[in-house]
Amino acid sequence: MRTKNDWITILENCNKVVQKKIPPLLQKVAEPPVDYGIGAGGDLIKKVDLEAETAIVNTLKKAKVSCTIISEETGTIKIGKTPEENYVILDPIDGSTNFTRGIPFYATSIAVSKNQTLDGVHTALVSDLIHNITYTAIKKQGAYKNNEKITPSKIKSFEKATIGVDLNTDQPKTLKSLAKLLIKIPHLRHFGANALELCYVADGTIDAFIDIRGKLRTTDLAAAFLILKESNATIMTLKGDPLTEKMAPTEKIAFVAAGNSQIFSQIVKELSN
Ligand SMILES: [Mg+2]
């Protein structure tokens, strides 16, 4: 049976392979003329997603692990003799639109869990593919950015806060409840890769991140979830409950992540008003 420390080495090897594979594909993105329509972008991202996924699956096979891989592109892949021993949750490219438009903010996200719940995640890696920054976490051993321990923001009041909010294809109902909060946020941000933005909450780059659309998949969040928890940041539902959704591409999630409980409470209070 693999230990959590074995797993982090395996994830770091996966990361190395992806970092080698992605740059040549980036040049293709820059080649003119590029049709940025849904078709072209969709095809390109599919190609990159598949290449990154294949590279990761092959690295896992080489490491001779037994696991069930849950990925966006291919769905479920079982490898080894006892695939139910570990679940590897994979998002080869988080921030696909950024990737196809040449916006330098996207990441690879890999989480390992002992079961199909978020709480079962014990090892995680989110790799910023542009800036050579890798976030990692092992359950009960803290969260790290390029091997340096990270802690979230200590800013406790709204007046100074920088807060990320995902409003993409939001419904009028949630937009309405967010409106009062949005006008109070002095520095509002959304960079377009939610796993990476959650890591920004974990290391205090931003103070909170809100996504209450109910559209993000649990599989997109799995790795960042552990990184956040291990950094001591807060991530919960709007009601202040823990996230207990099953990890499957069909499961969607709504949440507030914050650097500390004071910021979390203020956001929830504003949203419930
Ligand atoms: Mg993706």
Side-chain angles (χ1 to χ4, degrees):
M1 185 117 136
R2 301 282 175 159
T3 66
K4 290 179 224 167
N5 288 311
D6 290 338
W7 271 109
I8 200 71
T9 309
I10 295 166
L11 296 196
E12 272 160 2
N13 286 338
C14 291
N15 185 26
K16 271 183 214 154
V17 181
V18 170
Q19 282 180 334
K20 217 186 269 172
K21 290 251 170 186
I22 298 293
L25 293 163
L26 285 179
Q27 280 160 19
K28 285 186 192 160
V29 183
E31 271 169 22
V34 176
D35 173 8
Y36 285 125
I38 292 164
D43 286 348
L44 180 65
I45 194 68
K46 224 176 185 81
K47 186 176 158 37
V48 177
D49 260 331
L50 273 173
E51 287 220 17
E53 186 187 280
T54 308
I56 293 167
V57 172
N58 288 341
T59 309
L60 292 170
K61 281 182 182 164
K62 231 190 234 171
K64 295 196 165 51
V65 289
S66 285
C67 63
T68 302
I69 303 161
I70 303 171
S71 183
E72 213 186 336
E73 282 306 317
T74 342
T76 303
I77 309 163
K78 289 179 192 276
I79 61 171
K81 280 182 188 150
T82 48
E84 63 289 344
E85 226 170 60
N86 302 287
Y87 290 83
V88 175
I89 302 93
L90 191 58
D91 187 4
I93 305 284
D94 171 46
S96 313
T97 304
N98 283 351
F99 178 83
T100 50
R101 300 302 302 250
I103 298 167
F105 194 83
Y106 42 87
T108 292
S109 159
I110 321 172
V112 189
S113 180
K114 59 178 190 218
N115 53 39
Q116 268 183 284
T117 69
L118 278 171
D119 203 44
V121 176
H122 57 72
T123 313
L125 180 144
V126 173
S127 172
D128 176 337
L129 295 169
I130 292 288
H131 304 101
N132 218 1
I133 292 170
T134 305
Y135 293 91
T136 50
I138 299 176
K139 204 171 198 170
K140 294 189 181 136
Q141 291 183 34
Y144 295 81
K145 174 184 177 180
N146 287 352
N147 298 320
E148 301 244 356
K149 203 164 174 127
I150 51 172
T151 50
S153 163
K154 290 187 177 71
I155 290 179
K156 294 187 167 74
S157 92
F158 249 44
E159 283 84 72
K160 293 178 195 154
T162 299
I163 298 179
V165 184
D166 192 341
L167 298 170
N168 280 299
T169 66
D170 206 350
Q171 297 298 316
K173 203 178 141 209
T174 17
L175 265 182
K176 211 174 158 195
S177 69
L178 275 167
K180 272 189 248 156
L181 174 77
L182 293 180
I183 54 170
K184 288 191 181 171
I185 298 174
H187 309 288
L188 186 64
R189 297 291 183 275
H190 181 44
F191 305 121
N194 291 11
L196 204 46
E197 280 171 271
L198 287 170
C199 291
Y200 276 23
V201 178
D203 75 359
T205 303
I206 59 174
D207 305 300
F209 184 73
I210 304 165
D211 186 352
I212 58 166
R213 301 167 302 148
K215 293 191 172 190
L216 194 73
R217 289 167 297 212
T218 47
T219 44
D220 295 336
L221 179 109
F225 177 79
L226 182 69
I227 292 165
L228 265 171
K229 294 281 253 190
E230 285 299 320
S231 76
N232 275 328
T234 301
I235 179 162
M236 284 195 245
T237 68
L238 261 182
K239 287 182 182 158
D241 295 324
L243 305 178
T244 53
E245 279 84 351
K246 196 182 163 201
M247 276 194 299
T250 48
E251 287 285 317
K252 307 284 171 71
I253 210 159
F255 62 86
V256 174
N260 55 69
S261 55
Q262 286 90 339
I263 284 275
F264 180 85
S265 304
Q266 281 182 62
I267 292 169
V268 170
K269 198 176 143 203
E270 290 293 338
L271 286 174
S272 57
N273 272 343

